[in-house]
Amino acid sequence: MSTYRVNPSAPDEAYVSFWQERHLCTLTTLRPDGSPHVVPVGVTYDPEARLARVITNKTSTKVSHVLAAGPDGARVAVCQVAGRRWATLEGRARVRSEPERVAEAERRYAERYGRTPGENPSRVVIEIEVEGALGRG
């Protein structure tokens, strides 16, 4: 299958719709030795803001990988697959703990996944500034 580039500033309707469906995704971060760390996550995508969000616990390994990259953020990718459809978002990730940012990420998660996340005072959001997109939605 060929690689299909998607304009992250103007993704087509099928691509956006695919990111609104309920799918388990993966987040790939890099370990200190440069090897990939791939874990299952829920992801929401805001194409207007070119932002993907992953809610998680501040003590998670994925958070430590993003923080280790420093203030410029970590290069990451999130991906989802359903049969022949697939989509990847690539960009710089930063960990945000501001209550309004976490609440917005929780709201979007509930909208996409059909359930409100349980209370978690240690929750943070990994925000990914989307710089590139691939897929076939």
Side-chain angles (χ1 to χ4, degrees), residues 27-39 65 75:
L27 169 68
T28 303
T29 59
L30 297 178
R31 294 182 180 102
D33 68 2
S35 64
H37 176 257
V38 184
V39 294
H65 291 163
R75 301 282 305 150

Side-chain angles (χ1 to χ4, degrees), residues 14-35:
Y15 193 80
V16 173
S17 179
F18 186 43
W19 278 105
Q20 293 169 339
E21 296 171 11
R22 188 176 197 268
H23 294 288
L24 185 62
C25 304
T26 60
L27 169 68
T28 303
T29 59
L30 297 178
R31 294 182 180 102
D33 68 2
S35 64

Side-chain angles (χ1 to χ4, degrees), residues 30-127:
L30 297 178
R31 294 182 180 102
D33 68 2
S35 64
H37 176 257
V38 184
V39 294
V41 293
V43 176
T44 62
Y45 174 42
D46 179 354
E48 291 81 27
R50 287 179 66 160
L51 200 62
R53 296 174 177 92
V54 175
I55 57 175
T56 188
N57 196 300
K58 68 182 177 185
T59 62
S60 71
T61 299
K62 57 189 158 284
V63 165
S64 67
H65 291 163
V66 172
L67 291 173
D72 289 338
R75 301 282 305 150
V76 303
V78 289
C79 183
Q80 64 181 16
V81 178
R84 295 178 54 103
R85 297 181 306 153
W86 61 278
T88 299
L89 302 172
E90 303 169 335
R92 293 243 172 228
R94 291 176 181 83
V95 177
R96 307 302 300 252
S97 59
E98 300 90 336
E100 66 278 3
R101 288 184 179 269
V102 173
E104 179 64 9
E106 291 171 333
R107 183 190 69 75
R108 289 176 180 273
Y109 179 94
E111 186 177 276
R112 180 175 188 193
Y113 291 97
R115 69 173 194 83
T116 301
E119 181 105 6
N120 180 354
S122 296
R123 182 170 290 132
V124 294
V125 59
I126 297 173
E127 290 186 346

Side-chain angles (χ1 to χ4, degrees), residues 2-14:
S2 299
T3 298
Y4 295 92
R5 295 220 172 268
V6 175
N7 180 345
S9 296
D12 65 39
E13 186 176 317

